[in-house]
Amino acid sequence: MTVAILGRRFPAAVTYGVALCAALLLLLLTISAAIVQTTAALALNQQVRESIERRSHYRVVLQRMTDAETAQRGFLITGDTTYLQPLEGAHAEALEHLDALENTQLTIAAAAGVARMRQVLEAKFEELDHTVALRRQGRTREAMAIVQSDSGRELMRDLRVVVEHALDSESNNVVDSLDAADEAARRTLWVIIFAGALMLVVGGLLVVTVRNAMAELRASRDDAEAAHRRALDEIGAREQAESKVRQMQKMEAIGQITGGVAHDFNNMLAVIMSALQLAKRRMDRGQEGAAGFIDSAMEGARRAAALTSRLLAFARRQPLSPTVIDVNRVLGDMSELLRRTLGETVELETVLAGGLWRVHADRHELEQAILNICINARDAMPDGGKLTIESANAYLDEEYARANDDVTAGQYVLIAITDNGSGMSPEVKLKVFEPFFTTKEVGKGTGLGLSHVHGFLKQSGGHVSIYSELGVGTTVKLYLPRTGLAEQSATPAPAESEAPAGDPETIILVVEDDARVRVLSVAALRDLGYTVLHADGGPRALEILAQTPNVALLFTDVVMPEMSGRTLADQARASLPNLKVLYTTGYTQNAIVHNGVVDADARLLLKPYTIADLARKVRAALDN
């Protein structure tokens, strides 16, 4: 880039560099002149102060000698000792001022004058002391004879001459310094005027140069804006096309999920409705066999609940109850179940690492994830094969984390599940975590197994990766973050069939805004033997608690209109601190579940639930 100066073009970088250097040099010149002048002024001030101080010393020495001589003569004439007061200490004080003069920077002539003053001073004080001593001895005539001689007068005259010469010399030095300072100030002024004029010239040239450059830049800016507008138009058209593609992909995914959910739920609802209708017809006719149909309906309901749980896991919204667990122990406890599930044609080998770190995760969900992967591996080996499960400590570094956006670098516990089955193509591997995507035949898979695994790992802060080759096999690696917490001893869960009975003296308040769910919950608790009150919301529940303070347990939904379950529990415990609380929900993210993890101080019963689940949770809440 070039700039125009006085009709000629020069390289912009060189031109601005030269101008900047010239300005800096002129500025340095001005600053240097100012510094020199300031230094000279400071030196002059220091010289003036020192001169004033020396002049003061000279005058004090002369004054003390004069006072001492006057005191001597008064005492010699009158004999009154009070005249001697000015003489006392005058000698020492005069010597102190002479010492102070010698400690300052004196010229050779001034130093000689001070030395002469010291000689005269000593001689004069010797005369004064001698005459005073004679007068004290009564030898007044001898003392007066010494005074009337010219020796003392000559000493005082010599002292005055030396002092006056020193004072004149100090005055002349100050005048010379002032003249030198004035001359330096004049030189500095001319330097500043010269530098200022040059800076004005350089500044004028820079103004012209910058004005020309700005005109060129404005022209370039206009060209760039036009190009930018053209680019924006192109980007807008591209974004519209990409948006249409993303919308098509989104609709395709939603359609795939909706179709899968609708297909599975319709099948389950058909089982539930048909079984319940058949059971009702048998019961209306008084025939036996209704229990079998009711069991079929319960099985369909459980399958629907499992489908919902898997969908929540894929969306990372499934409430978890993580604990500190030993992965090796989990794999050891699952080995028998896995052997039965895989069958005799699949050889299972487990390789457990020593010194394995602990993890903080939901054990049930981890077991379900491992089981889902093992079932997929079994289906990939229809003629049999080998399945290897390994555990190890692993470290995912920054490079791996950069290559995988959803991974945080750090220490993990690895669970690797490897089969020697048919393997996956790259196209299939890209879609394995999508919900309802499956390569199995119709009716042999929901397509939610690996999506459930993916959601559970992400919700637990972990990572899942798949390595596969067609005809060779597949390895699924589960990474769970290491924890420093101590492992907790697991308490055996009660058997599914256990349904602890209730006590009629125990009053439970059920709060549920859905009337059908409330009716069934109340009926179930009464069937278990409890005394049950119910309300359709928080305000009504608080009124009941105010009227019935002996309620033992508040069984409340979390998400309700007007007042949430957590708010209701907090207000109720403000007046009834011993009130036990059991929450229920199908799904929530607020007071009970934070980031998909159940609060440590809250008991939660997930919908849908069986009467046995309700009985155990209520008993646990009451006994806590």
Side-chain angles (χ1 to χ4, degrees), residues 420-434:
N420 58 355
S422 57
M424 304 180 194
S425 66
E427 296 77 14
V428 171
K429 195 171 74 169
L430 288 174
K431 297 183 178 181
V432 290
F433 295 128
E434 295 180 4

Side-chain angles (χ1 to χ4, degrees), residues 109-123:
V114 171
R116 175 59 183 162
M117 289 175 64
R118 185 179 294 276
Q119 294 175 356
V120 174
L121 190 71
E122 293 294 344

